[in-house]
């Protein structure tokens, strides 16, 4: 956990510790990068506003070294800030103040998603490549390319793209995407779907994902 407010850091660490997680806490950006390299965490809780290096730069650096789920914590609710966070590799975000119950649920969901993806990869055939126009998805290797150029996706972005690619051309509602990607059954987090779709469009190209107003999204089947 990277958080420069001691009260928040201690409270979160205590709650996650009570849930049987092992938690390391650092308070600034440079220390976060060093601890990431030394500790090799399964998940990073990352505050946006940090001394030394801000959360966006920390996220860029750690994702460049090894893909890892990142849950960004921010006191700002500006959509531009959140989209930038997703673009540099964050998988999800919580706006302060947040409930410990929601934080714990988000952490467990992100970890389950990574475990599920690893299980699918282990069980996948040697080559399972999907080609849709300029898009190529190698499921066995969990690699994505557009026009032959590799594209780095976060675990959540990859999961979202993979769900859309399993039924190309079919419109999936935000509620369905929330349930299948985020494991949220109440359909209350539609904004997080929209934000990740925008991040995918930035990386893959605006024309690959079609919006159906007030319903959901579909992956296009033609260039």
């Amino acid at each position: 956990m990277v958080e420069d407010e001691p009260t928040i850091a201690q409270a979160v660490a205590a709650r996650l510790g009570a849930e049987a997680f092992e938690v390391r806490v650092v308070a600034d950006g440079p220390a976060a990068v060093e601890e990431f390299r030394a500790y090799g965490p399964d998940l990073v809780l990352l505050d946006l506003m940090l001394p030394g290096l801000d959360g966006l730069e920390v996220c860029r650096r750690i994702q460049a070294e090894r893909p890892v789920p990142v849950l960004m914590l921010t006191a700002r609710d500006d959509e531009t800030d959140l989209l930038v966070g997703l673009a540099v590799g964050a998988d999800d975000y919580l706006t302060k103040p947040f409930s410990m119950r929601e934080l714990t649920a988000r952490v467990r969901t992100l970890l389950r998603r990574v475990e599920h993806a690893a299980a699918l990869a282990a069980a996948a055939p040697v080559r399972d490549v999907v080609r849709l126009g300029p898009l190529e998805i190698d499921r066995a290797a969990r690699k994505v390319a557009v026009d032959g150029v590799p594209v780095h996706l976060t675990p959540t972005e990859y999961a979202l793209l993979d769900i859309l690619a399993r039924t190309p051309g079919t419109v999936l509602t935000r509620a369905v995407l929330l349930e299948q990607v985020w494991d949220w059954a109440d359909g209350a987090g539609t904004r997080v779907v929209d934000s990740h779709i925008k991040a995918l469009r930035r990386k893959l190209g605006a024309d690959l994902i079609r919006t159906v107003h007030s319903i959901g999204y579909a992956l296009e089947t033609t260039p």
Side-chain angles (χ1 to χ4, degrees):
M1 180 177 187
V2 192
E3 173 60 67
D4 64 335
E5 296 184 32
T7 302
I8 295 176
Q10 292 168 10
V12 170
R15 176 57 183 267
L16 292 177
E19 298 283 342
F21 290 102
E22 180 182 340
V23 184
R24 303 280 182 94
V25 178
V26 294
D28 61 67
V33 176
E34 292 180 9
E35 185 71 8
F36 178 80
R37 292 169 178 164
Y39 182 43
D42 297 312
L43 182 142
V44 177
L45 297 175
L46 181 59
D47 189 30
L48 182 60
M49 304 299 293
L50 293 168
L53 297 171
D54 66 18
L56 297 177
E57 182 59 28
V58 171
C59 194
R60 286 190 191 96
R61 295 191 184 191
I62 65 177
Q63 291 289 13
E65 295 192 12
R66 176 174 64 87
V68 64
V70 174
L71 176 57
M72 191 161 281
L73 310 176
T74 175
R76 302 189 301 198
D77 195 27
D78 183 81
E79 185 176 18
T80 300
D81 293 328
L82 299 176
L83 284 175
V84 171
L86 295 174
V88 299
D91 291 276
D92 201 354
Y93 58 84
L94 275 176
T95 303
K96 299 176 183 177
F98 50 81
S99 73
M100 291 297 176
R101 181 178 180 181
E102 183 176 11
L103 174 69
T104 303
R106 297 284 186 93
V107 166
R108 292 192 183 280
T109 296
L110 282 173
L111 291 174
R112 278 200 307 270
R113 190 179 312 141
V114 172
E115 292 171 359
H116 179 64
L120 286 177
V126 176
R127 300 294 291 177
D128 183 8
V129 179
V130 175
R131 293 183 179 86
L132 298 168
L135 177 67
E136 180 178 294
I137 304 171
D138 186 336
R139 288 197 172 109
R142 291 180 61 79
K143 293 182 178 179
V144 175
V146 176
D147 288 326
V149 179
V151 178
H152 174 78
L153 300 182
T154 68
T156 298
E157 289 168 355
Y158 180 87
L160 179 57
L161 177 62
D162 186 55
I163 291 296
L164 290 168
R166 289 182 185 275
T167 54
T170 300
V171 179
L172 299 180
T173 67
R174 290 175 175 86
V176 167
L177 293 172
L178 277 171
E179 181 180 3
Q180 295 192 21
V181 178
W182 283 268
D183 197 26
W184 294 357
D186 61 2
T190 56
R191 184 177 177 186
V192 75
V193 176
D194 296 341
S195 296
H196 277 81
I197 290 291
K198 289 180 181 178
L200 273 178
R201 282 175 169 153
R202 289 187 180 195
K203 295 181 178 183
L204 304 177
D207 297 332
L208 284 174
I209 300 175
R210 175 168 55 94
T211 300
V212 179
H213 184 64
S214 300
I215 299 178
Y217 300 98
L219 191 66
E220 295 287 37
T221 58
T222 56

